[in-house]
């Protein structure tokens, strides 16, 4: 059997940088081609500059390395996407069409595509949002993800392409910084707490959203990609849940370590986006089909975030 060479787009992003490391550890660094439009910092694997909206550039890399799997993570997120909706649509959709086309033409074995809780809007129940529900997203990011889910399902049905996808909640990790999302506060807050600074939160104190710890999100991605194809019943994107909480809950959890931690609330346009998203997610299809179960609750996340960020800071000083 030919070697399973894996291409990752958006490899310098919040999820991409951690997933690239995790896949390298699992399948060997020489099997992983990281790509992005930004240069990676401190990366010692194979890296290619790639703007995935350009089909020829993507195809060149696929052919050059004999790529067999693609994790397509490059995208513009919810808050940033509202600054220029048309380029968000183009970036998110053109790159996906290119990935699906190159996969079909070059017999790529498996593709991973990240969707998001942003696909849900006012038409979906707020609590335990089901897998199959009306999607009326409020942001261009969500619109592009909802369209993308239909597109990957089309490639599955028409070309039998093995595309797998998760609707990620907000992701919290110490390894990388998010950028341009509505859930970014949940990472930034820990950085402020450990440096003894006040945190100004752009969401209201009770803005509950579905969240997941990075280690759980990475494990979910790898478990889904390694699951037997015949066990998978969802060919749009699987609902994925970790835990649900609001900014006031994180502040309370942080105060177990930093009792003087101060947080003030200055909600901006991102509050409206948060209000259009679910409070909690029903991920029973993922649990049934490939045995998904999250491991980290809020206090576990806080403990690890504080421990690891302090270690990182100590290493810099
Ligand atoms: C965002 O906030 O835009 C993302 C997401 C939930 O997809 N983190």
């Amino acid at each position: 059997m030919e070697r399973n060479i894996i291409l990752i787009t958006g490899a310098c992003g919040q999820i991409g940088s951690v997933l690239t490391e995790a896949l390298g550890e699992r399948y060997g660094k020489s099997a992983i081609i990281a790509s992005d439009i930004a240069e990676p910092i401190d990366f010692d694997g194979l890296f290619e500059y790639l703007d995935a909206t350009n089909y020829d550039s993507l195809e060149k890399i696929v052919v050059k390395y004999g790529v067999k799997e693609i994790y397509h993570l490059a995208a513009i997120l919810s808050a940033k996407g509202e600054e220029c909706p048309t380029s968000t649509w183009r970036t998110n959709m053109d790159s996906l069409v290119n990935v699906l086309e190159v996969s079909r033409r070059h017999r790529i074995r498996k593709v991973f595509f990240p969707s998001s809780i942003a696909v849900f809007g006012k038409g979906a129940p707020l609590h335990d949002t089901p897998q199959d529900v009306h999607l009326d997203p409020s942001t261009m990011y969500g619109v592009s993800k909802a369209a993308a889910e239909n597109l990957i399902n089309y490639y599955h049905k028409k070309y039998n392409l093995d595309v797998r996808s998760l609707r990620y909640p907000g992701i919290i990790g110490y390894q990388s910084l998010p950028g341009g999302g509505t859930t970014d506060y949940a990472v930034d807050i820990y950085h402020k707490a450990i440096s003894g600074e006040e945190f100004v939160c752009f969401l209201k104190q009770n803005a509950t959203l579905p969240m997941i710890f990075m280690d759980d999100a990475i494990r979910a991605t790898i478990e889904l990609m390694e699951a037997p194809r015949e066990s998978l019943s969802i060919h749009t994107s699987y609902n994925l849940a970790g835990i649900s909480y609001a900014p006031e809950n994180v502040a309370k959890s942080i105060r177990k370590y930093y009792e003087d931690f101060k947080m003030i609330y200055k909600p901006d346009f991102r509050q409206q986006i948060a209000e259009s998203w679910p409070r909690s997610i029903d991920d029973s299809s993922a649990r049934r089909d490939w045995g998904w179960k999250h491991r980290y609750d809020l206090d576990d996340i806080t403990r690890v975030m504080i421990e690891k960020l302090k270690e990182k800071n100590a290493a810099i000083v």
Side-chain angles (χ1 to χ4, degrees):
M1 182 136 159
E2 277 171 292
R3 200 139 178 254
N4 202 34
I5 300 294
I6 298 173
L7 172 67
I8 303 166
T9 73
C12 298
Q14 187 201 11
I15 308 172
S17 55
V18 188
L19 189 62
T20 301
E21 285 293 320
L23 295 177
E25 271 167 33
R26 198 161 178 83
Y27 306 118
K29 265 193 175 0
S30 60
I32 312 297
I33 320 298
S35 73
D36 208 308
I37 50 167
E39 281 290 321
I41 307 160
D42 290 342
F43 179 67
D44 67 352
L46 293 161
F47 178 82
E48 291 277 349
Y49 171 87
L50 172 64
D51 173 358
T53 63
N54 183 318
Y55 180 82
D56 293 340
S57 312
L58 173 64
E59 188 174 52
K60 246 184 223 153
I61 294 173
V62 165
V63 172
K64 176 174 169 189
Y65 293 98
V67 170
K68 291 286 170 276
E69 269 184 40
I70 302 181
Y71 288 70
H72 176 45
L73 304 177
I76 297 176
L77 299 192
S78 58
K80 179 90 188 138
E82 291 311 284
E83 284 169 19
C84 190
T86 47
S87 62
T88 301
W89 171 264
R90 284 195 202 106
T91 301
N92 294 359
M93 295 311 289
D94 289 358
S95 62
L96 177 63
V97 172
N98 289 344
V99 166
L100 294 173
E101 267 305 292
V102 88
S103 299
R104 174 179 81 77
R105 292 182 197 172
H106 291 273
R107 301 189 188 288
I108 298 292
R109 291 187 195 126
K110 275 185 234 175
V111 178
F112 177 76
F113 175 75
S115 186
S116 162
I117 54 164
V119 294
F120 300 115
K122 297 282 182 212
L126 279 179
H127 297 277
D128 286 332
T129 307
Q131 175 70 47
D132 292 312
V133 79
H134 179 66
L135 302 181
D136 56 349
S138 62
T139 59
M140 183 53 93
Y141 169 67
V143 169
S144 72
K145 291 293 183 188
E149 289 191 7
N150 282 316
L151 192 63
I152 62 178
N153 192 26
Y154 175 85
Y155 271 75
H156 156 73
K157 286 190 292 196
K158 185 149 176 105
Y159 304 114
N160 196 28
L161 188 66
D162 188 356
V163 197
R164 305 178 182 200
S165 175
L166 295 170
R167 288 173 177 157
Y168 286 131
I171 299 180
I172 304 106
Y174 55 86
Q175 302 94 328
S176 53
L177 286 171
T182 302
T183 56
D184 292 7
Y185 89 86
V187 177
D188 298 341
I189 190 170
Y190 289 105
H191 287 264
K192 292 286 185 211
I194 68 149
S195 52
E197 288 174 60
E198 176 182 89
F199 182 63
V200 182
C201 187
F202 57 73
L203 296 185
K204 287 185 184 166
Q205 59 190 50
N206 60 353
T208 298
L209 287 171
M211 298 285 185
I212 194 167
F213 192 47
M214 179 66 84
D215 299 34
D216 274 341
I218 298 294
R219 186 170 53 81
T221 308
I222 293 175
E223 283 178 7
L224 172 66
M225 288 300 272
E226 291 186 351
R229 191 177 186 189
E230 51 293 352
S231 67
L232 305 178
S233 61
I234 306 294
H235 299 288
T236 49
S237 186
Y238 276 97
N239 274 10
L240 181 76
I243 46 165
S244 285
Y245 59 76
E248 63 188 359
N249 307 121
V250 201
K252 197 169 161 209
S253 181
I254 288 175
R255 285 192 193 109
K256 292 179 185 165
Y257 298 83
Y258 298 96
E259 57 182 30
D260 295 332
F261 175 61
K262 285 203 176 45
M263 164 129 150
I264 56 165
Y265 297 92
K266 285 201 179 150
D268 63 20
F269 72 101
R270 289 168 280 193
Q271 174 62 26
Q272 267 84 59
I273 298 178
E275 279 169 24
S276 74
W277 289 355
R279 306 289 174 269
S280 59
I281 297 289
D282 172 2
D283 63 355
S284 47
S285 299
R287 288 170 187 261
R288 182 198 60 221
D289 287 2
W290 45 278
W292 167 244
K293 193 172 176 358
H294 83 279
R295 288 186 189 149
Y296 290 83
D297 288 320
L298 177 55
D299 282 339
D300 303 319
I301 295 176
T302 299
R303 178 178 44 77
V304 181
M305 286 297 286
I306 291 177
E307 201 179 288
K308 295 287 184 186
L309 289 178
K310 276 166 75 175
E311 271 173 32
K312 272 185 149 185
N313 272 9
I316 293 165
V317 176

